[in-house]
């Protein structure tokens, strides 16, 4: 479980750095087709990074919903990683594909499934 949580946290960190670079370029005056479209993209990058950090934290705590959230995130990474790899950017493609495939395989491991079985609710009061 810790490996999957670390992979998701690392992806969130990379996404946050991409958002910081994107924001810097936006403030520095890089030409954009639509300023508000660029701001919207920046907000999406920041929101997705925050979501991935939350998934990593709650995945490490063993909550059940995080397995599905982590799987969806890995599928998005695969969706970007395969075209990146096949377009000739081998190092960037491998950097996306290897952690995503590792996380997907580990998400279906029996120990991870049994660990991630908390539902979030406490014991009943009565």
């Amino acid at each position: 479980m810790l490996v999957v949580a670390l992979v998701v946290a690392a992806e969130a960190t990379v996404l946050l750095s991409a958002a910081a670079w994107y924001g810097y370029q936006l403030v520095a005056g890089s030409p954009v087709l639509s300023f508000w479209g660029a701001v919207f993209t920046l907000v999406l990058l920041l929101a997705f990074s925050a979501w991935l950090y939350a998934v990593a934290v709650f995945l490490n705590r063993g909550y059940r919903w995080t397995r599905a959230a982590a799987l969806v995130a890995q599928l998005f990474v695969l969706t970007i990683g395969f075209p990146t790899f096949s377009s000739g950017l081998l190092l960037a493609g491998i950097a996306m594909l290897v952690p995503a495939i590792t996380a997907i395989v580990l998400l279906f491991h029996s120990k991870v499934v049994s660990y991630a079985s908390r539902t979030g609710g406490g014991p009943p009061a009565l």
Side-chain angles (χ1 to χ4, degrees), residues 52-68:
L52 281 178
Y53 277 126
V55 168
V57 167
F58 287 107
L59 186 66
N60 195 34
R61 292 182 186 172
Y63 284 88
R64 183 180 307 182
W65 64 270
T66 56
R67 286 185 57 239

Side-chain angles (χ1 to χ4, degrees), residues 1-122:
M1 182 59 74
L2 183 61
V3 173
V4 179
L6 287 174
V7 166
V8 172
E11 290 170 346
T13 303
V14 169
L15 198 57
L16 186 62
S17 12
W21 176 78
Y22 192 81
Y24 171 75
Q25 291 296 320
L26 189 62
V27 170
S30 262
V32 293
L33 197 56
S34 164
F35 176 76
W36 291 111
V39 170
F40 179 72
T41 302
L42 178 63
V43 170
L44 282 179
L45 286 170
L46 291 171
F48 194 55
S49 177
W51 176 71
L52 281 178
Y53 277 126
V55 168
V57 167
F58 287 107
L59 186 66
N60 195 34
R61 292 182 186 172
Y63 284 88
R64 183 180 307 182
W65 64 270
T66 56
R67 286 185 57 239
L71 178 64
V72 168
Q74 301 317 307
L75 292 176
F76 280 136
V77 172
L78 287 179
T79 303
I80 296 169
F82 277 122
T84 302
F85 183 77
S86 64
S87 69
L89 298 169
L90 300 178
L91 195 58
I94 289 172
M96 285 186 252
L97 292 174
V98 170
I101 291 170
T102 303
I104 289 172
V105 168
L106 290 176
L107 279 170
F108 291 103
H109 192 272
S110 61
K111 289 183 180 180
V112 172
V113 172
S114 66
Y115 181 80
S117 61
R118 283 183 61 186
T119 58

